Amino acid sequence: MSNKYKIALIKGDGIGPEIVNEAVKVLDAIASVENISFEYNEYLMGGCAVDVFDNPLPADTITGALNSDAVLFGAIGGPKYDSLPSEKRPETGLLKLRKSLNAFANIRPAVIFDELTAASTLKEEVIKGVNLVVVRELTGGIYFGEPREKKEDVAYNTMIYTKDEIKRIAKVAFDQAMKRDKKVTSVDKANVLEVSKLWREVVEEIAKDYPEVSLEHMYVDNAAMQLIRNPKQFDVILTGNIFGDILSDAASMVVGSIGLLPSSSIGGKVGLYEPIHGSAPDIAGQGIANPIATIMSASMMLRDLGEVKAANRIDDAIKAVLKEGYRTHDLANFDAKEVVSTEEMGSLIAEYATK
Ligand code: NAD
């Protein structure tokens, strides 16, 4: 009997369908050589859902996602939807989906491929060997805190975290560290913010359950600087919603192309796996998008489902294809032996993954 997984596919807008199709191609290739199979069900979210249902997150999509083993998602949004009221905007759909899945932990690995060190804006000696992961709290903090209001002459938001919210995200970070180099850097602004003082206390408390993991605290301003100065010092960066939003984008630039960064959003029964980039409307439909971030997200999905061997096949295939010198257009200037299309890149990774 093979392990069968029900995967909700949310392709979304722009390059979303192109890159998710390639990830599915790779998953199907894996299924042909490992003892696993996939049942895919497609759901609409984002602009394409607004077009059909006048709603960026139809109820059917939430139910379908919740009844799956995992959700593989492309990207949403586009200029056509920019002037819609906020409840109809594609991003609102994604925020609501994360809430519905109780996906309170966003995990973003930033790993540099040796072949692509030149793609980073930082010097090779600074980034060679970078392998860090940002664990960002995703469903709380200032993005959701009440009260919030904009009046004519004044506006405010509330940065709020409960002890329980901090505990659960800290546990995710320490669990990640146990599988890695056993170091957590908790990032806050405890010299100024009360909410950060509680954050520190709670993180210290959780750290006691993980005696093997070393914990350091860092102020967010220093963390931003250290990420650029010496990113190799980090293993797991644990932080809240707004600091994580900013730091994970900075960490992504350390690696070079935005098309190489996967993510997972976990915490509830069903995890959501997606590239960190958006729907790239400027290149949509041209067959030039880099599908690697989405394929790496599929690998993270398999790992979380317990299919470690299958995930390793994908990761090794990506490395091999890059080593062979195949590059999509975004990386054409970095030691490319051959520049390939989105579809060709997907096929190459699928082929190498079955070797
Ligand atoms: P973007 O990430 O879509 O694109 C930024 C730049 O990176 C563009 O030049 C694009 O061509 C390039 N790029 C992105 N992904 C690429 C890939 N896989 N391969 C090659 N090049 C790639 O960000 P943006 O332009 O600021 O936003 C476009 C739309 O995406 C907006 O509507 C925004 O709201 C939305 N967005 C969605 C998500 C999401 O779905 N999670 C995230 C960010 C932005």
Side-chain angles (χ1 to χ4, degrees):
M1 271 280 284
S2 70
N3 294 334
K4 185 167 184 181
Y5 299 104
K6 215 168 146 182
I7 309 296
L9 295 180
I10 301 182
K11 295 182 177 176
D13 308 316
I15 60 170
E18 300 167 52
I19 53 179
V20 173
N21 287 347
E22 296 316 307
V24 169
K25 191 191 275 175
V26 174
L27 287 173
D28 284 341
I30 293 286
S32 71
V33 289
E34 292 287 334
N35 201 22
I36 43 180
S37 62
F38 301 104
E39 175 194 324
Y40 306 108
N41 294 292
E42 277 192 43
Y43 300 97
L44 295 181
M45 181 174 79
C48 55
V50 173
D51 289 342
V52 179
F53 298 110
D54 201 28
N55 177 355
L57 183 64
D60 191 39
T61 301
I62 303 180
T63 317
L66 283 169
N67 288 327
S68 302
D69 294 308
V71 181
L72 186 61
F73 163 54
I76 43 145
K80 183 176 160 193
Y81 310 103
D82 282 351
S83 52
L84 290 177
S86 84
E87 72 279 8
K88 294 233 172 110
R89 288 187 58 121
E91 297 79 5
T92 306
L94 179 55
L95 289 180
K96 272 194 190 161
L97 178 69
R98 287 175 178 156
K99 270 271 187 204
S100 310
L101 294 175
N102 195 22
F104 63 82
N106 184 232
I107 312 221
R108 286 190 182 192
V111 180
I112 189 100
F113 291 100
D114 283 349
E115 294 72 28
L116 294 176
T117 45
S120 174
T121 48
L122 301 185
K123 285 191 196 125
E124 187 164 344
E125 66 263 28
V126 174
I127 50 152
K128 202 157 185 166
V130 165
N131 183 346
L132 61 88
V133 59
V134 179
V135 175
R136 165 190 171 196
E137 201 290 328
L138 200 59
T139 53
I142 197 164
Y143 291 167
F144 294 94
E146 298 283 348
R148 58 192 296 161
E149 193 174 4
K150 178 177 175 296
K151 298 182 186 171
E152 197 165 326
D153 298 321
V154 64
Y156 50 87
N157 291 86
T158 304
M159 189 159 178
I160 181 164
Y161 271 118
T162 65
K163 214 170 163 177
D164 283 346
E165 282 175 319
I166 304 167
K167 264 188 191 168
R168 64 183 191 175
I169 190 71
K171 278 187 192 153
V172 172
F174 281 92
D175 286 341
Q176 286 281 322
M178 285 300 287
K179 294 185 239 160
R180 301 171 45 95
D181 285 347
K182 301 195 171 61
K183 180 180 175 194
V184 170
T185 305
S186 175
V187 174
D188 61 35
K189 191 72 187 168
N191 49 343
V192 181
L193 302 173
E194 280 68 21
V195 65
S196 285
K197 287 184 184 131
L198 180 68
W199 180 277
R200 258 187 202 210
E201 281 169 26
V202 178
V203 172
E204 294 271 356
E205 213 178 292
I206 296 297
K208 290 186 190 137
D209 297 334
Y210 297 84
E212 286 172 57
V213 178
S214 73
L215 168 68
E216 67 174 356
H217 300 283
M218 200 178 271
Y219 297 135
V220 61
D221 39 351
N222 185 27
M225 190 260 279
Q226 294 297 337
L227 254 180
I228 308 301
R229 193 185 72 84
N230 177 19
K232 269 183 266 188
Q233 69 184 286
F234 296 108
D235 179 27
V236 176
I237 296 177
L238 159 66
T239 191
N241 206 341
I242 189 167
F243 298 155
D245 193 1
I246 299 160
L247 291 181
S248 52
D249 266 27
S252 73
M253 273 327 290
V254 169
V255 177
S257 171
I258 195 163
L260 294 172
L261 288 148
S263 78
S264 67
S265 301
I266 58 169
K269 196 170 76 55
V270 182
L272 173 69
Y273 300 84
E274 57 175 304
I276 73 147
H277 58 73
S279 59
D282 53 335
I283 58 166
Q286 298 175 35
I288 58 171
N290 187 342
I292 291 182
T294 316
I295 296 170
M296 288 170 83
S297 305
S299 155
M300 287 181 85
M301 176 180 87
L302 289 177
R303 211 169 282 285
D304 285 355
L305 291 170
E307 299 292 348
V308 175
K309 208 170 142 219
N312 287 343
R313 273 186 180 274
I314 297 185
D315 295 349
D316 292 346
I318 293 170
K319 274 187 214 134
V321 166
L322 291 173
K323 198 163 184 200
E324 288 285 318
Y326 295 108
R327 305 277 187 268
T328 39
H329 284 69
D330 49 321
L331 298 169
N333 293 333
F334 305 104
D335 294 332
K337 186 187 86 183
E338 190 180 338
V339 176
V340 295
S341 68
T342 309
E343 260 187 77
E344 286 164 336
M345 181 54 95
S347 301
L348 280 162
I349 295 170
E351 184 195 324
Y352 277 71
T354 52
K355 277 189 181 166

